[in-house]
């Protein structure tokens, strides 16, 4: 079974992917980590040294590589992955996709604590985050909403999320 988790930064894609893959006893793949390992650089350094366009090209290549060569996995993609190139179509044609949907407020509270590793928000002040996320989500939601399933994550812990996925979506 091929499961692809998507959603905005801070929606818990990597954490849920790890737990879900353990639960289902399949491989967990994190697209950012996959790219980072291939480039021998952190995602932040790729953005800084090579630029976002370079990152988006590598992201598209890496996604294609994984989707066309691997089987039986839970894949966590990056927050922007579904919104560039033909990535969302590729995702839709290769597995069950699940949008982990958080409210602007939930995402803001989480991202305030985790800005540093994220090049798109690391230079923002906390008071700028809410508006940034609101605008960004408005642009990205149409892509995220193409997922096979949408799961609201506000006020839910990872066990509840895993339970909903395994009982309703697979
Ligand atoms: C990005 C999200 C990041 C990472 C990169 C760009 C985005 O992944 O791919 O910093 O465009 O939203 P996470 O969603 O895992 O933070």
């Amino acid at each position: 079974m091929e499961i692809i988790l998507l959603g905005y930064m801070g929606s818990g894609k990597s954490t849920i992917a790890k737990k879900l893959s353990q639960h289902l006893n399949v491989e967990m793949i994190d697209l950012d980590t996959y790219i980072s390992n291939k480039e021998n650089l952190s995602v932040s350094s790729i953005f800084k040294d090579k630029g976002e366009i370079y990152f988006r090209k590598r992201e598209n290549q890496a996604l294609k590589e994984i989707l066309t060569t691997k089987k039986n996995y839970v894949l966590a993609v990056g927050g922007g992955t579904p919104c560039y190139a033909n990535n969302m179509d590729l995702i839709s044609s290769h597995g069950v996709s699940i949008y982990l949907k958080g409210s602007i407020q939930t995402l803001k509270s989480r991202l305030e604590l985790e800005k540093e590793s994220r090049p798109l928000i690391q230079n923002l002040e906390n008071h700028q985050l809410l508006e940034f996320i609101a605008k960004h989500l408005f642009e990205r939601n149409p892509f995220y909403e193409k997922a096979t399933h949408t799961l609201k994550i506000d006020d839910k812990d990872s066990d509840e999320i895993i339970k909903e996925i395994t009982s309703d979506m697979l």
Side-chain angles (χ1 to χ4, degrees):
M1 165 154 287
E2 291 74 51
I3 302 165
I4 300 113
L5 301 184
L6 52 100
Y8 201 69
M9 293 177 273
S11 57
K13 301 177 294 286
S14 304
T15 309
I16 300 298
K18 192 162 172 228
K19 290 202 170 192
L20 183 62
S21 68
Q22 284 163 356
H23 185 91
L24 300 172
N25 203 14
V26 297
E27 185 184 2
M28 183 272 188
I29 310 167
D30 184 277
L31 188 62
D32 281 343
T33 309
Y34 186 93
I35 298 167
S36 207
N37 289 342
K38 294 241 160 183
E39 289 278 314
N40 236 330
L41 279 177
S42 68
V43 169
S44 284
S45 304
I46 302 174
F47 266 71
K48 193 156 130 299
D49 300 349
K50 305 188 171 185
E52 180 171 355
I53 294 174
Y54 178 84
F55 176 79
R56 297 301 174 193
K57 286 187 183 155
R58 295 294 288 117
E59 183 179 47
N60 175 251
Q61 261 172 15
L63 180 69
K64 277 190 216 153
E65 237 166 67
I66 295 166
L67 295 177
T68 56
T69 61
K70 291 188 179 270
K71 283 263 168 232
N72 286 319
Y73 53 77
V74 180
L75 168 67
V77 298
T81 313
C83 317
Y84 290 88
N86 57 341
N87 294 347
M88 196 58 215
D89 290 336
L90 284 171
I91 290 171
S92 302
S93 57
H94 283 88
V96 175
S97 52
I98 302 172
Y99 170 24
L100 302 180
K101 182 173 189 170
S103 66
I104 298 165
Q105 196 57 52
T106 297
L107 297 169
K108 180 208 170 234
S109 318
R110 292 186 183 189
L111 289 172
E112 265 177 4
L113 310 170
E114 310 171 4
K115 273 190 321 198
E116 291 323 309
S117 59
R118 295 187 159 97
L120 294 178
I121 54 172
Q122 65 196 176
N123 296 323
L124 295 179
E125 300 293 336
N126 283 348
H127 72 268
Q128 299 175 301
L129 259 183
L130 197 72
E131 195 184 339
F132 179 87
I133 296 168
K135 284 186 180 160
H136 215 187
L137 261 185
F138 182 74
E139 291 166 8
R140 288 181 166 192
N141 252 326
F143 296 93
Y144 296 156
E145 300 282 358
K146 290 185 184 169
T148 322
H149 300 283
T150 295
L151 194 162
K152 290 196 175 157
I153 56 148
D154 295 340
D155 305 318
K156 291 179 188 162
D157 65 23
S158 55
D159 288 338
E160 278 174 277
I161 294 173
I162 302 292
K163 203 166 162 215
E164 275 191 48
I165 294 178
T166 50
S167 51
D168 304 338
M169 300 178 181
L170 303 182

